[in-house]
Amino acid sequence: MLVDSHCHIDTARFNADREAVITAAFEEGVTRMVDPGCDLASSEHALRLAKAHPGMVFAGVGTHPHDATTHSEAVGARYREMAREPEVVAIGEFGLDYFRMLSPRDVQRAVFVAHLELARECALPCIIHVRDSHDDVIELLRAHGQGLRGVFHCFSGNVAQAEECLAFEGFMLSFAGPLTRQGNALPDVARMAPLERVLVETDSPYLVPQPLRAKRNEPLFVKYVAEKLAEIRGMTLEEIARVTTANAVRLFGLGESAR
Ligand SMILES: [Zn+2]
């Protein structure tokens, strides 16, 4: 059994077959998934999906750095209310994205800090998006994130950056489709990361794992990421599934699998 610790099944690309996608994952052993919102509307949608699939789908509430200009105190207050629902297991996804830079840097930084405060108030783990922004994320976490828990989702850095991330004791690294691709430092990171601090995810509908040729990623495909991680660590898929599932259950406080 696997947990897809990060998938956006609320997005429109699943409108035609969302239920079938969730069922297919469940039947193949991906029994639980976390859907982090990217703005207020998608956070609300993620929560509706979680309520409709108890024990299978769990929600995060947060504003993605691409959408940072849509964040406000009112939106934060709404997240705070939603976070009281048992189906909401995280604040996120939020973070800093200096690659696409769809929101100004200072807005992204302010919204990032607002989410750290929300996570602290709500006693929930953080789901953090980092793209070309490692140094700023580390700086802001050192200043405002002491004692918080969470995950660096779709980790894409090198070993030195991973070590800086892992210095935050409550945080895990999550691997996605890029682990299955050539030409990055992720196998080295996957070898050095403590087993009790790694998660697997798809980031569906993005980042289709290799060697799949699918146009759209989906939670079922998290097994390809887990297989790659098992190969790198010299473990069986079953062992990797057991440990990453236990990590996700511990971090997000997931209930029993419905299966
Ligand atoms: Zn995401």
Side-chain angles (χ1 to χ4, degrees), residues 30-162:
V30 184
T31 57
R32 285 169 288 191
M33 55 192 82
V34 178
D35 182 340
C38 292
D39 61 9
L40 179 56
S42 79
S43 297
E44 286 172 342
H45 193 181
L47 178 54
R48 281 199 303 280
L49 287 173
K51 285 191 174 294
H53 301 89
M56 290 166 66
V57 179
F58 301 85
V61 293
T63 303
H64 193 283
H66 293 344
D67 303 300
T69 53
T70 71
H71 195 75
S72 65
E73 266 182 41
V75 170
R78 184 73 190 108
Y79 291 158
R80 195 175 296 117
E81 267 171 45
M82 293 163 76
R84 295 201 195 104
E85 306 283 343
E87 295 86 0
V88 174
V89 298
I91 300 298
E93 77 178 271
F94 65 95
L96 302 175
D97 192 312
Y98 297 165
F99 178 71
R100 294 186 65 195
M101 201 63 103
L102 296 183
S103 302
R105 182 188 289 241
D106 57 331
V107 174
Q108 292 193 40
R109 285 173 56 99
V111 170
F112 184 91
V113 172
H115 280 78
L116 294 179
E117 285 163 3
L118 203 54
R120 193 182 300 285
E121 274 175 59
C122 301
L124 285 173
C126 308
I127 298 176
I128 298 186
H129 171 106
V130 186
R131 191 140 188 226
D132 289 358
S133 59
H134 172 84
D135 290 349
D136 276 23
V137 165
I138 295 296
E139 175 213 322
L140 291 176
L141 271 178
R142 282 184 184 145
H144 304 278
Q146 292 303 328
L148 292 180
R149 303 172 300 128
V151 54
F152 296 93
H153 115 79
C154 189
F155 184 79
S156 61
N158 58 33
V159 168
Q161 291 170 329

